[in-house]
Amino acid sequence: MRSKLYDDVEKAKAWSHLATTVKEYSDEMTRKWSQEIDTHLVFAGLLSAILTAFNVQSYQLLQPPAPAVDPVLGALQQISAQLSSFSINPQFMNSTHPPFQQTDSTATSSLPPQTSAIWLNALWFSSLVTSLSSASLGIMVKQWLNEYNSGISSGTSREAARIRQYRLNNLKKWRVAEVVTMIPILLQLSLALFLAGLLVLLWSLHHAVAAPATALIILLALWTFGTILLPIFKTGCAYVSPQALALYSLLKHVNHQVSALRHRIVSHLHHLSAASVEDSSIDSTSPSGGLARNLEQQFDVL
């Protein structure tokens, strides 16, 4: 039975329908990504501005403390005090003020910064770098999407459909979706680092102020981790987020590696068991043969 032959009009109509379908799917995907990235860029800008204001003040804690009195001013005051204490007699001239002594300014400048100041700056500067990295990553993805959508509308429906499908396959091949998922994860990490540094600062200043802030941050952390873990272990949970998807992919990869390792171990035990059976010189009741069978049975149960 011969297959149905289509004329040029029907082929053009089919290609037009195909091009429209691919265009709608592609435009919806890129529009969704673009809107998400715009929101993330606004949040990254606000967070980076806040972090910059805090870091401008916090980095000074790492610098050596300034001397209480300017050395030049102190020397001038000492000279003035000596001149005012001079007593002149016909035989001699005497000063009752002690002579000027150079103070060791390096004693205070060599003091190391406090541990809390080191942790505070490490957390806050790491948070700033993470926030700026997410913003930079978002800008790069926006550039990729602009290049993806450029030059597709020209040409026939067949050419446009092929170009769009080719670029769509490359987006999946180069894991652009995973790169987009990394942007909110970096922002969440940056926020966590900032809040951790804020707790370090508050606990080093006053415990009465740090206690309620710590309680609120713990509640926020529990809520965040709960919304990340629930979609993994509860089917149909609506709290699906990029963080949950990333954690699910990580757990899936770990489970696959563990299953592969288990399969290799079981295969090796089967090989050892077969070799022990073929070797007539080894008694089946020997400790080595029993150990191999026991391990094999345990892995079979697993």
Side-chain angles (χ1 to χ4, degrees), residues 33-46 183 187:
W33 285 353
S34 182
Q35 292 175 354
E36 290 180 357
I37 292 173
D38 290 338
T39 304
H40 298 329
L41 288 177
V42 172
F43 181 77
L46 293 175
I183 299 175
L187 288 176

Side-chain angles (χ1 to χ4, degrees), residues 201-218:
L201 175 63
L202 293 178
W203 281 106
S204 63
L205 294 178
H206 203 286
H207 291 181
V209 180
T214 303
L216 293 175
I217 291 176
I218 290 176

Side-chain angles (χ1 to χ4, degrees), residues 2-295:
R2 297 180 60 185
S3 60
K4 182 180 177 181
L5 299 179
Y6 296 93
D7 55 13
D8 295 338
V9 176
E10 292 176 335
K11 290 180 180 179
K13 184 178 179 180
W15 276 110
S16 178
H17 177 71
L18 177 62
T20 303
T21 303
V22 176
K23 182 178 183 301
E24 291 177 354
Y25 173 80
S26 177
D27 291 345
E28 178 65 23
M29 180 187 63
T30 56
R31 181 169 59 252
K32 175 185 175 182
W33 285 353
S34 182
Q35 292 175 354
E36 290 180 357
I37 292 173
D38 290 338
T39 304
H40 298 329
L41 288 177
V42 172
F43 181 77
L46 293 175
L47 183 59
S48 299
I50 295 173
L51 287 169
T52 302
F54 277 91
N55 288 337
V56 167
Q57 299 297 326
S58 66
Y59 87 93
Q60 300 178 9
L61 300 175
L62 299 176
Q63 295 180 340
V69 180
D70 188 5
V72 177
L73 180 60
L76 293 176
Q77 291 177 349
Q78 186 81 4
I79 294 173
S80 177
Q82 285 182 345
L83 291 177
S84 62
S85 65
F86 276 131
S87 60
I88 301 177
N89 294 323
Q91 289 81 11
F92 62 90
M93 182 173 59
N94 187 22
S95 175
T96 59
H97 196 277
F100 172 74
Q101 295 181 356
Q102 179 70 31
T103 59
D104 187 8
S105 60
T106 61
T108 58
S109 61
S110 61
L111 293 177
Q114 297 181 357
T115 305
S116 60
I118 297 175
W119 276 101
L120 174 65
N121 283 272
L123 291 171
W124 278 359
F125 276 98
S126 299
S127 177
L128 180 60
V129 172
T130 307
S131 178
L132 294 177
S133 299
S134 66
S136 176
L137 193 60
I139 293 174
M140 287 190 292
V141 174
K142 293 277 287 186
Q143 293 173 345
W144 300 342
L145 295 180
N146 291 334
E147 184 65 25
Y148 170 81
N149 291 321
S150 63
I152 299 181
S153 59
S154 61
T156 62
S157 300
R158 184 173 183 175
E159 294 175 350
R162 286 183 171 180
I163 294 175
R164 195 179 296 275
Q165 185 62 44
Y166 173 75
R167 295 183 179 181
L168 182 62
N169 293 337
N170 287 332
L171 286 181
K172 295 180 179 179
K173 176 182 178 180
W174 292 98
R175 301 183 179 275
V176 177
E178 285 78 359
V179 176
V180 176
T181 305
M182 287 297 300
I183 299 175
I185 295 177
L186 290 175
L187 288 176
Q188 291 289 343
L189 178 60
S190 177
L191 180 61
L193 292 173
F194 170 70
L195 293 178
L198 186 62
L199 290 181
V200 172
L201 175 63
L202 293 178
W203 281 106
S204 63
L205 294 178
H206 203 286
H207 291 181
V209 180
T214 303
L216 293 175
I217 291 176
I218 290 176
L219 290 177
L220 176 61
L222 292 176
W223 168 260
T224 303
F225 282 112
T227 56
I228 292 175
L229 295 176
L230 279 176
I232 300 176
F233 301 102
K234 187 66 175 179
T235 305
C237 181
Y239 301 150
V240 180
S241 63
Q243 299 89 330
L245 295 176
L247 182 58
Y248 173 76
S249 300
L250 178 62
L251 293 178
K252 185 178 180 181
H253 177 72
V254 172
N255 186 31
H256 176 73
Q257 295 297 326
V258 171
S259 299
L261 178 62
R262 172 183 173 275
H263 178 72
R264 287 196 297 267
I265 294 176
V266 171
S267 300
H268 182 66
L269 292 177
H270 277 292
H271 178 72
L272 291 178
S273 178
S276 62
V277 170
E278 293 177 359
D279 191 358
S280 58
S281 63
I282 300 178
D283 188 7
S284 60
T285 60
S286 64
S288 60
L291 178 60
R293 285 193 301 273
N294 291 333
L295 291 175

